[in-house]
């Protein structure tokens, strides 16, 4: 495995990273002389998928892999721009709605195997888009700096905490910038559907308390660790969990009112010359070996529910709201609706962007 210096110093990102690479800084895995190659486009941090890639290449030493990591919006636009000549064999993103739009608009090709056929109904669509992990959407707080250590366990308690400790928490909450982050937009739009009144009040509280907005989970949790902010809202659970394991001063909070469940999803670009290699790697990710590696090495939460249950992601008493792979997701990406939602979000937050 080879990394450019710039990559090593700055780009070990979390999920939904917006880090970009020069051509020479994109990481490569495998033997330079391997006769077959696969390019992955992904929003998942390379440190998360690299153990899986290494295991895959141990089974398939005749393949080398180029891992091109980018933001959800950059990935979406890249696939569109490369339609005449796709460069990737597999595209992985947490922005389920954007991935589904690519499928709906004819940018993906069909793929079917024993592994994809074994997926739950909710985890695939038209044999063109496939879920490989399931993410609880969580909050993360700094144990040492949070006011009186009164951590909110749900959105109503978060509202009460903001009001009770108004001065202490002002300017110290972080969340996604929904204009820069495709997954951020998806999560905000899902919140607005699940709890319209609470969501509106939460937005108002965020706005009056100068919420900071970010491109990606990595930056939010970095600032929680450093004490610049004390709480992050709507973060991907797998990345938050990994960072909490590394730092005992961090706490991951799974909301008890409802927990959004998002899936990391993959597609094979239409007419990709690497389609066979992309399908092979997808099958590995969905295999028992791949799914168990996700769980045992704390990389991602597997889509295989038997393995996930063993990892005890959620307390059974926590109600969940699954973001499903269906055409309902496309409604949120209607241009007029999206424009109106972003404008209302900006107005409510009186943005202090980062």
């Amino acid at each position: 495995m080879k990394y450019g210096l710039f990559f090593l110093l700055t780009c070990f990102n979390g999920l939904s990273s917006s880090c970009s690479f020069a051509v020479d800084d994109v990481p490569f895995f495998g033997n330079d002389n391997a006769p077959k190659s696969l390019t992955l486009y992904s929003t998942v941090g390379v440190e998360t998928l690299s153990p899986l890639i290494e295991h895959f290449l141990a089974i398939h030493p005749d393949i080398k892999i180029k891992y091109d990591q980018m933001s959800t919006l950059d990935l979406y636009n890249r696939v569109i721009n490369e339609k005449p000549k796709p460069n990737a064999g597999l595209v992985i993103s947490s922005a389920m709605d954007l991935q589904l739009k690519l499928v709906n608009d004819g940018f993906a090709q069909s793929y079917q195997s024993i592994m994809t056929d074994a997926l739950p109904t909710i985890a695939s669509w038209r044999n063109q888009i496939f879920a490989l992990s399931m993410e609880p959407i969580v909050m993360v707080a700094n144990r040492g700096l949070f006011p009186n250590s009164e951590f909110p366990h749900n959105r109503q308690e978060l509202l009460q905490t903001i009001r009770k400790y108004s001065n202490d928490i002002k300017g110290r909450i972080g969340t996604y910038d929904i204009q820069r982050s495709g997954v951020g937009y998806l999560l905000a739009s899902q919140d607005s559907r699940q709890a319209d009144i609470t969501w509106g009040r939460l937005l108002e509280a965020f706005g009056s308390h100068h919420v900071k907005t970010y491109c990606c989970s990595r930056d939010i949790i970095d600032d929680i660790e450093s004490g610049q902010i004390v709480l992050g809202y709507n973060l991907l659970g797998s990345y938050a969990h990994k960072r909490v394991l590394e730092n005992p001063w961090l706490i991951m909070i799974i909301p008890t009112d409802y927990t959004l469940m998002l899936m990391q999803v993959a597609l094979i670009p239409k007419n990709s010359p690497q389609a066979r290699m992309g399908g092979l790697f997808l099958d590995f990710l969905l295999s028992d070996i791949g799914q168990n590696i996700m769980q045992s090495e704390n990389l991602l939460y597997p889509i295989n529910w038997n393995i996930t249950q063993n990892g005890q992601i959620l307390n059974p008493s926590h109600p969940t709201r699954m973001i499903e792979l269906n055409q309902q997701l496309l409604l949120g990406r209607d241009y007029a609706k999206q424009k109106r939602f972003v404008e209302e979000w900006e107005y409510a937050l009186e943005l202090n962007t980062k």
Side-chain angles (χ1 to χ4, degrees):
M1 177 173 54
K2 301 180 296 181
Y3 298 107
L5 178 60
F6 176 72
F7 171 81
L8 278 172
L9 293 178
T10 65
C11 294
F12 256 54
N13 295 355
L15 301 173
S16 296
S17 166
S18 66
C19 189
S20 60
F21 304 95
V23 172
D24 292 341
D25 296 316
V26 175
F28 288 81
F29 298 80
N31 191 323
D32 286 341
N33 298 319
K36 303 172 185 176
S37 62
L38 168 64
T39 296
L40 299 174
Y41 286 173
S42 177
T43 64
V44 181
V46 66
E47 79 285 0
T48 297
L49 282 191
S50 60
L52 288 155
I53 293 173
E54 296 285 7
H55 278 84
F56 173 77
L57 292 181
I59 302 170
H60 301 282
D62 59 333
I63 301 174
K64 56 189 173 188
I65 290 179
K66 176 184 177 183
Y67 194 89
D68 205 342
Q69 181 186 337
M70 63 198 81
S71 74
T72 47
L73 289 175
D74 286 346
L75 182 146
Y76 172 76
N77 290 323
R78 181 86 70 90
V79 173
I80 290 175
N81 292 336
E82 292 180 356
K83 184 177 184 180
K85 191 177 180 181
N87 289 320
L90 191 67
V91 175
I92 302 170
S93 175
S94 54
M96 295 171 60
D97 51 349
L98 292 180
Q99 291 279 79
L100 198 69
K101 193 171 188 324
L102 288 172
V103 170
N104 195 64
D105 293 346
F107 289 89
Q109 68 181 56
S110 297
Y111 178 75
Q112 195 167 5
S113 69
I114 294 174
M115 297 302 174
T116 62
D117 285 346
L119 281 170
T121 304
I122 63 167
S124 66
W125 194 59
R126 292 184 181 176
N127 288 324
Q128 290 184 315
I129 185 170
F130 311 96
L132 54 96
S133 75
M134 188 184 302
E135 302 275 348
I137 304 305
V138 303
M139 295 183 278
V140 173
N142 187 309
R143 293 179 184 272
L145 298 176
F146 204 84
N148 285 351
S149 296
E150 292 185 23
F151 305 113
H153 297 99
N154 54 53
R155 291 162 183 82
Q156 192 60 44
E157 287 186 10
L158 177 56
L159 275 171
Q160 294 168 358
T161 300
I162 292 172
R163 291 165 182 159
K164 184 175 181 179
Y165 299 105
S166 179
N167 292 331
D168 295 321
I169 214 162
K170 188 171 289 185
R172 305 184 77 189
I173 300 173
T175 192
Y176 280 113
D177 181 341
I178 70 171
Q179 291 192 89
R180 291 191 288 163
S181 169
V183 69
Y185 175 87
L186 172 62
L187 297 177
S189 63
Q190 289 293 314
D191 265 340
S192 71
R193 289 181 57 199
Q194 297 294 338
D196 186 47
I197 296 176
T198 303
W199 173 242
R201 291 173 179 168
L202 200 55
L203 273 187
E204 290 177 5
F206 283 171
S208 62
H209 287 77
H210 309 307
V211 68
K212 292 184 177 180
T213 60
Y214 298 74
C215 69
C216 36
S217 292
R218 175 206 63 186
D219 290 351
I220 297 175
I221 300 181
D222 283 349
D223 277 6
I224 297 171
E225 283 186 318
S226 69
Q228 293 186 51
I229 60 175
V230 296
L231 181 134
Y233 179 79
N234 265 4
L235 305 182
L236 297 177
S238 62
Y239 186 54
H241 177 61
K242 188 174 182 64
R243 295 287 291 269
V244 167
L245 289 177
E246 296 168 352
N247 187 340
W249 287 103
L250 298 179
I251 180 173
M252 184 173 80
I253 302 164
I254 299 175
T256 57
D257 49 348
Y258 68 87
T259 303
L260 287 174
M261 300 294 290
L262 173 144
M263 293 179 277
Q264 296 277 358
V265 292
L267 60 83
I268 298 172
K270 190 172 185 178
N271 299 322
S272 169
Q274 300 179 359
R276 183 175 173 277
M277 298 296 99
L280 199 62
F281 185 62
L282 174 64
D283 284 345
F284 172 77
L285 294 176
L286 297 177
S287 70
D288 286 347
I289 294 174
Q291 295 279 294
N292 275 296
I293 291 170
M294 290 182 193
Q295 179 70 48
S296 63
E297 299 194 25
N298 295 307
L299 305 175
L300 293 166
Y301 293 117
I303 194 66
N304 185 321
W305 187 240
N306 291 327
I307 297 173
T308 300
Q309 279 185 313
N310 291 336
Q312 296 182 341
I313 298 177
L314 297 175
N315 184 303
S317 65
H318 290 192
T320 59
R321 301 288 186 271
M322 180 67 67
I323 304 176
E324 298 183 6
L325 274 175
N326 58 39
Q327 289 187 309
Q328 183 68 33
L329 277 181
L330 299 177
L331 298 179
R333 285 294 175 178
D334 172 78
Y335 177 77
K337 187 172 183 178
Q338 182 175 329
K339 184 174 183 291
R340 183 170 60 252
F341 185 83
V342 171
E343 287 174 349
E344 291 172 353
W345 180 82
E346 283 185 317
Y347 179 80
L349 263 59
E350 304 170 6
L351 283 178
N352 173 23
T353 58
K354 181 180 176 71

